[in-house]
Amino acid sequence: MELSRIVDRLDEELGTADYADLDASANGLQVGPDEGEIERVAVAVDGVRETFERAIEADADLLVVHHGLSWGGFDRVTGRTYDRIAPLIENDLALYVSHLPLDGHQELGNAAGVADLLGLEDRSPFGELGPEYVGQRGRAADPSAPDEVRERLEAGLDTGGQPVQHLDFGPDRIEDVAIVTGSGTDWLDDAVAADADALVTGEGKGKAYHEAQEAGIHVFLAGHYATETFGVRSLQELVGEWGLETTFLDVPTGL
């Protein structure tokens, strides 16, 4: 399949253009020719030297990632930036990136994947960012004890062997859950305003402890990487349905 066709289909499915003025990431095709034939696609959370090398070993023509190379552009392609980009150019490996569009997608996105893991129902977009959303919220059919939610997250996420951190300040039973993966504690006040019992995210900021304590809400910090494998796995399944060979490159950080 032509690279340009894959890029167009991904951009359309993910609503890439809707996040153009909201996301520091240069979403879409970051590295690659205007045209090229793609047979094998690798997916990974992070666009880094290790995933580039593993994609090359897998004989991939395209690597699709959540965290790309460009966050506002490059001043110079030298040093570590050059070292990262060089394998892509030297091996004709194209790089496609979807950051916030993949966070906010209500079916394929990272938050949707966490909601699936927790068995949430009655879902709706959560985590406003301008006119768009970067997360999801839902309601558990059977409210669970906080420890049960933490255990479910630890069992279902690739945390790199690290425990899920839990700020245990909410009610005895958790029913309404807000999710913003990655670094999502900036939406803690939004979760409180929405009467959520818990906020599930990847990593936190120091102030989140006291904010959660004062608001009486649970916060689960399940790891930035761990909460953001769902989106690229969904894209792997999607492009597989388009007749392309695919592989998932799992490089957990434990963070």
Side-chain angles (χ1 to χ4, degrees):
M1 184 181 293
E2 282 290 329
L3 174 61
S4 59
R5 185 181 176 200
I6 296 172
V7 169
D8 287 345
R9 292 179 73 172
L10 287 172
D11 282 347
E12 181 178 2
E13 177 63 48
L14 294 166
T16 300
D18 296 336
Y19 290 81
D21 296 327
L22 304 174
D23 199 347
S25 171
N27 296 307
L29 186 66
Q30 281 195 1
V31 178
D34 292 332
E35 298 296 335
E37 191 68 23
I38 303 298
E39 295 181 358
R40 299 179 183 84
V41 179
V43 304
V45 174
D46 299 309
V48 293
R49 185 67 179 260
E50 183 173 357
T51 56
F52 297 164
E53 291 174 348
R54 289 180 57 177
I56 293 164
E57 290 174 3
D59 202 24
D61 307 301
L62 170 65
L63 176 62
V64 176
V65 301
H66 181 50
H67 301 129
L69 292 169
S70 178
W71 302 87
F74 302 121
D75 292 326
R76 294 176 177 81
V77 182
T78 60
R80 285 189 298 166
T81 301
Y82 178 86
D83 291 339
R84 278 188 172 179
I85 293 176
L88 300 173
I89 305 298
E90 292 169 357
N91 293 275
D92 293 324
L93 177 63
L95 179 69
Y96 181 93
V97 176
S98 185
H99 184 232
L100 294 185
L102 193 53
D103 284 326
H105 198 287
Q106 295 299 296
E107 296 178 0
L108 303 176
N110 291 313
V114 175
D116 287 341
L117 174 63
L118 295 177
L120 302 184
E121 303 174 349
D122 300 325
R123 302 184 197 179
S124 59
F126 175 78
E128 286 188 63
L129 186 65
E132 303 299 330
Y133 293 88
V134 293
Q136 191 172 92
R137 62 175 292 199
R139 186 176 297 273
D142 296 310
S144 301
D147 283 348
E148 292 175 335
V149 174
R150 177 182 53 78
E151 290 167 2
R152 196 172 303 164
L153 290 169
E154 288 183 343
L157 297 176
D158 188 355
T159 63
Q162 299 300 312
V164 171
Q165 292 180 283
H166 175 205
L167 306 182
D168 187 3
F169 298 125
D172 294 337
R173 308 293 287 181
I174 294 176
E175 182 176 12
D176 196 300
V177 180
I179 305 166
V180 178
T181 62
S183 180
T185 53
D186 285 343
W187 283 270
L188 193 151
D189 285 343
D190 295 63
V192 173
D195 291 326
D197 302 315
L199 172 68
V200 177
T201 187
E203 61 180 288
K205 298 178 180 178
K207 64 179 183 177
Y209 180 95
H210 292 289
E211 289 177 347
Q213 184 183 51
E214 292 166 5
I217 188 172
H218 294 282
V219 177
F220 295 91
L221 306 174
H224 198 129
Y225 179 92
T227 58
E228 297 200 324
T229 61
F230 295 98
V232 291
R233 283 187 176 274
S234 294
L235 295 185
Q236 177 189 10
E237 183 176 348
L238 179 65
V239 299
E241 293 172 356
W242 298 346
L244 297 164
E245 295 182 33
T246 68
T247 185
F248 172 63
L249 308 177
D250 190 19
V251 186
T253 65
L255 300 173

